[in-house]
Amino acid sequence: MRIGELAARAGASPRQVRFYEAKGLITSTRGPNNYRDYSETALGRVQQIRELLGAGLSTQAIRGILPCLESPRDPIVFEGVTSETVAALERERDRLTERIDILTRNRDAIAGYLTELKGRATDPP
């Protein structure tokens, strides 16, 4: 399939698809007209990449774990996992945990502020 179809089906833009390819996250072949051609596997991979990016992983971390995934929707397989991949994922996990803690504190502070505001709000006469 061409880049526009892949992008539309995956919920991405053609620019994002080109970016994923430039980062080595997906591959394409070139037709005689020099247009990129993507397989059905690329569709699942782009969807997976978007989910991982949405979870806060970097493209570098994603590049490290993609080889550990047998296919776009299958569970992780463990052949070929390196200690560097494990360490990188541990760092990503720790970074996400820190972000969650900060977001939780901010949410709680805003909730407390809203409670106080509601208690002091006066309705116009």
Side-chain angles (χ1 to χ4, degrees):
M1 78 187 83
R2 289 194 181 160
I3 192 168
E5 180 184 352
L6 173 63
R9 289 178 61 192
S13 70
R15 183 177 180 180
Q16 288 170 315
V17 172
R18 284 190 292 275
F19 175 76
Y20 301 155
E21 190 169 359
K23 291 291 187 178
L25 303 176
I26 61 171
T27 59
S28 67
T29 57
R30 294 283 182 159
N33 56 8
N34 207 31
Y35 290 164
R36 288 178 172 96
D37 187 38
Y38 296 92
S39 67
E40 282 294 319
T41 304
L43 173 61
R45 191 56 55 123
V46 169
Q47 291 168 329
Q48 190 171 51
I49 291 164
R50 291 178 51 76
E51 290 170 3
L52 293 168
L53 287 169
L57 272 69
S58 67
T59 55
Q60 183 177 356
I62 293 169
R63 188 173 38 255
I65 64 171
L66 283 178
C68 304
L69 304 173
E70 186 175 18
S71 70
R73 295 289 176 203
D74 286 349
I76 293 176
V77 295
F78 298 102
E79 292 96 25
V81 175
T82 65
S83 58
E84 292 83 16
T85 301
V86 171
L89 286 174
E90 287 175 335
R91 286 190 301 274
E92 285 295 324
R93 180 206 54 210
D94 294 346
R95 187 184 63 79
L96 289 171
T97 298
E98 185 178 331
R99 285 182 57 201
I100 289 167
D101 291 344
I102 291 168
L103 289 170
T104 299
R105 282 194 306 271
N106 289 340
R107 182 206 56 211
D108 292 348
I110 289 170
Y113 185 63
L114 281 170
T115 299
E116 190 64 31
L117 287 176
K118 288 176 183 176
R120 295 173 185 252
T122 58
D123 292 330

